[in-house]
Amino acid sequence: SIEWEDAGMDRLHGAPESLAYIRALNAITPPDAAFDAAFSSES
């Protein structure tokens, strides 16, 4: 989730800039299981 609070920033500029920043972090790793399955006590 990206949020910026600069009301003067155009979305067409801000959104691609934010996406490029997140991709550069290489921090998004898909989980091995669905969210609910991670909390299941069943194997």
Side-chain angles (χ1 to χ4, degrees):
S1 175
I2 300 290
E3 178 181 347
W4 66 85
E5 297 185 17
D6 184 352
M9 179 181 273
D10 180 23
R11 290 183 193 179
L12 295 178
H13 174 76
E17 182 179 297
S18 297
L19 179 59
Y21 176 75
I22 293 298
R23 284 184 172 161
L25 291 176
N26 196 24
I28 300 173
T29 304
D32 293 331
F35 179 80
D36 292 343
F39 298 100
S40 175
S41 59
E42 298 175 21
S43 296

